[in-house]
Amino acid sequence: MPRQAYVRPLDLKHGRIDLSHGAGGRAGAQLVEELFARHLDNECLRQGDDGAVLPEQSFVGRIVVSTDCHVVSPLFFPGGDIGCLAVHGTLNDVAMMGARPLALTAGFIIEEGFPLADLDRIVVSIAAASRAAGVPVVAGDTKVVERGKGDGVFITTTGIGIVPPGVELSGARARPGDAILLSGSIGDHGMAIMSQRENLSFEAPIVSDTAALYELVAAMLATGADFRCLRDPTRGGLATTLNEISRQSGVGMMLDEAKIPVKPAVAAACEFLGLDPLYVANEGKLVVILAAVDAERVLAAMRAHPLGREAVRIGTVHAEEHHFVQMITCMGGRRIVDWLMGEQLPRIC
Ligand code: MG
């Protein structure tokens, strides 16, 4: 795109979004050029046409597409912000299909009056997350809504990736006897948001686990194990994810509560707010269902990666007509881990 001359550059320190930034005219073009394109710059984005044409690929495999809307509040939280969250959330959904993410798109709905400094910070975070993952943002869109008609900024991202031949992952493939693995502690993201919202402070601050999981997935797939399903337990938490898989596959599950890692500060915050960490969102964790015979070597591969250091086997799939997820509690009893009822934590991702 040839650089255009504007009357004056965007005031990224004190300026604010106004309706003209979304009107499709000169102000919008300036916003795109001086803020979005400046940080996200790449060959595809630079084409400046109605759609991005990706370079010719030599891959063999099938295309995976996933999309996710992000409405998290607050926009900035310990360990991340809506920008990197919007990148990780979609990249992880692509990765859970066993696919190598190739490209991302991002759509922004911004409220009139939103500080340009905050938008700049968010786009810098998107750029850093996309660069770290090696997945460019190749197309995007910006719309502005009137003051009071939005809440700062909402971001929708879409990701595409390539799943290699032979990788067949689905929540419908769990079978009796399969092992259930978890990559690390649960509840970190949800409680980082909640403790910020509720102004809770703990000796050890709770930090979101938001992270891109594809490298961990690639290390796991390289073991050649017989994987059935990978899933990132985001909104609704581990309990909801396992219930979804149980229903899809028509099986039951038995978990061991003592094996499920929960950080002390997360456990304390959950107890204080009356929440169960099993239902709290994660943004950098994954659940694996696989043939039990492969569990130990996949655990070893996971623990060798920084995002899987605490990986553990948390349970087993069994045949069960009601498709219940059950758990042996730390007290030695047994309870049903039901679906999440209602919306426990709104605006978490
Ligand atoms: Mg997911």
Side-chain angles (χ1 to χ4, degrees):
M1 222 192 307
R3 288 196 68 82
Q4 299 178 32
Y6 298 104
V7 180
R8 33 173 192 202
L10 278 183
D11 180 359
L12 292 177
K13 240 186 185 150
H14 307 290
R16 288 180 181 271
I17 289 287
D18 61 54
L19 289 173
S20 73
H21 288 122
R26 206 172 170 76
Q30 184 179 18
L31 180 72
V32 167
E33 189 176 311
E34 293 181 18
L35 200 155
F36 289 100
R38 184 160 67 93
H39 298 308
L40 300 173
D41 184 54
N42 61 68
E43 208 180 299
C44 292
L45 205 55
R46 238 174 283 143
Q47 292 163 3
D49 292 315
D50 279 0
V53 179
L54 303 192
E56 200 142 325
Q57 308 286 331
S58 55
F59 63 78
V60 192
R62 292 149 298 156
I63 295 174
V64 169
V65 185
S66 188
T67 195
D68 216 333
C69 307
H70 297 85
V71 298
V72 65
S73 171
L75 296 170
F76 302 94
F77 48 83
D81 54 67
I82 191 171
C84 64
L85 187 68
V87 171
H88 296 152
T90 291
L91 288 183
N92 288 347
D93 279 340
V94 171
M96 292 308 115
M97 302 311 297
R100 180 172 61 86
L102 209 66
L104 281 166
T105 72
F108 297 77
I109 296 173
I110 314 172
E111 187 184 3
E112 178 188 10
F114 191 65
L116 284 175
D118 286 352
L119 187 61
D120 193 60
R121 200 175 147 195
I122 289 165
V123 177
V124 164
S125 172
I126 289 175
S130 106
R131 215 171 296 124
V135 186
V137 176
V138 297
D141 188 38
T142 306
K143 294 287 186 319
V144 177
V145 295
E146 302 96 313
R147 200 179 292 269
K149 299 282 172 69
D151 187 11
V153 59
F154 301 140
I155 305 176
T156 298
T157 46
T158 298
I160 58 170
I162 306 300
V163 60
V167 176
E168 296 288 346
L169 300 173
S170 164
R173 294 192 64 229
R175 298 176 206 167
D178 285 352
I180 307 165
L181 315 182
L182 173 66
S183 66
S185 64
I186 57 167
D188 299 21
H189 174 73
M191 294 324 289
I193 301 284
M194 287 310 286
S195 51
Q196 177 108 338
R197 259 192 234 162
E198 305 285 332
N199 259 320
L200 304 181
S201 56
F202 299 93
E203 272 176 43
I206 302 173
V207 176
S208 168
D209 57 353
T210 182
L213 292 167
Y214 177 69
E215 296 300 330
L216 173 61
V217 171
M220 291 160 56
L221 293 178
T223 63
D226 191 0
F227 292 99
R228 319 278 200 225
C229 171
L230 301 183
R231 207 160 276 184
D232 54 341
T234 53
R235 196 174 36 164
L238 180 64
T240 303
T241 294
L242 293 179
N243 272 285
E244 285 168 359
I245 298 170
S246 286
R247 185 173 64 179
Q248 261 183 289
S249 293
V251 294
M253 293 182 183
M254 185 61 74
L255 310 179
D256 182 351
E257 185 175 26
K259 293 278 171 53
I260 301 173
V262 183
K263 293 196 174 94
V266 171
C270 280
E271 199 175 319
F272 185 76
L273 295 172
L275 299 170
D276 183 337
L278 286 169
Y279 296 89
V280 177
N282 310 277
E283 291 290 344
K285 298 290 156 36
L286 58 84
V287 173
V288 191
I289 314 277
L290 82 173
V293 61
D294 292 329
E296 281 310 316
R297 76 191 159 101
V298 170
L299 276 175
M302 292 171 78
R303 288 171 184 154
H305 190 279
L307 294 176
R309 262 197 311 263
E310 288 183 279
V312 280
R313 177 171 178 171
I314 58 165
T316 302
V317 176
H318 59 204
E320 203 267 310
E321 57 174 331
H322 302 292
H323 315 148
F324 286 143
V325 176
Q326 299 180 68
M327 186 165 77
I328 306 288
T329 67
C330 292
M331 312 292 281
R334 187 191 278 208
R335 76 159 166 111
I336 287 180
V337 177
D338 208 350
W339 290 83
L340 174 63
M341 295 298 179
E343 178 68 283
Q344 188 187 30
L345 302 172
R347 306 280 304 268
I348 215 79
C349 58

